[in-house]
């Protein structure tokens, strides 16, 4: 159904391949636009926007385990580990 496409990066002008697998992934996620940058330029752009996110450790309000989150937890709001958060999301 999908075939590899050669695209041109809008930042560096180099060609890169938009693989059939990547196209399928984009379709599954509902993305309508093709990528405009090669991997190297995407990575460079991410780094220029702040690099690594600061992560915080908290105690999961559901199971009591350790939760690592990308925001500073507040005592008045519950924080959940990724497993408990996923379970809650499934339940609606």
């Amino acid at each position: 159904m999908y075939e590899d496409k050669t695209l041109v990066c809008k930042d560096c002008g180099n060609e890169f391949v938009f693989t059939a697998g990547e196209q399928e992934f984009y379709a599954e996620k509902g993305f309508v636009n093709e990528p405009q940058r090669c991997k190297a330029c995407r990575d460079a752009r991410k780094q220029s926007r702040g690099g690594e996110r600061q992560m915080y450790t908290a105690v999961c309000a559901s199971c009591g385990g350790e939760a690592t989150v990308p925001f500073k937890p507040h005592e008045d709001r519950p924080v959940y580990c990724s497993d408990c958060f996923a379970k809650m999301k499934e339940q609606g």
Side-chain angles (χ1 to χ4, degrees):
M1 183 170 171
Y2 297 102
E3 292 183 20
D4 290 357
K5 287 184 182 180
T6 301
L7 303 176
V8 177
C9 177
K10 79 177 204 174
D11 287 349
C12 69
N14 291 332
E15 292 184 347
F16 66 98
V17 177
F18 185 34
T19 67
E22 291 170 330
Q23 292 174 51
E24 186 175 354
F25 173 79
Y26 271 50
E28 287 173 6
K29 295 293 183 184
F31 301 151
V32 293
N33 298 321
E34 295 179 341
Q36 297 183 3
R37 293 176 179 85
C38 64
K39 178 154 176 41
C41 288
R42 283 195 316 267
D43 290 345
R45 187 174 160 99
K46 286 178 188 175
Q47 285 296 332
S48 71
R49 290 191 302 210
E52 293 293 318
R53 295 173 101 178
Q54 182 175 357
M55 300 298 280
Y56 298 88
T57 303
V59 176
C60 177
S62 183
C63 71
E66 184 177 293
T68 305
V69 294
F71 56 88
K72 189 170 183 176
H74 296 284
E75 304 242 348
D76 62 332
R77 305 227 25 210
V79 174
Y80 301 99
C81 66
S82 56
D83 290 337
C84 291
F85 184 77
K87 289 176 190 171
M88 290 175 52
K89 195 172 180 181
E90 286 175 7
Q91 293 172 354

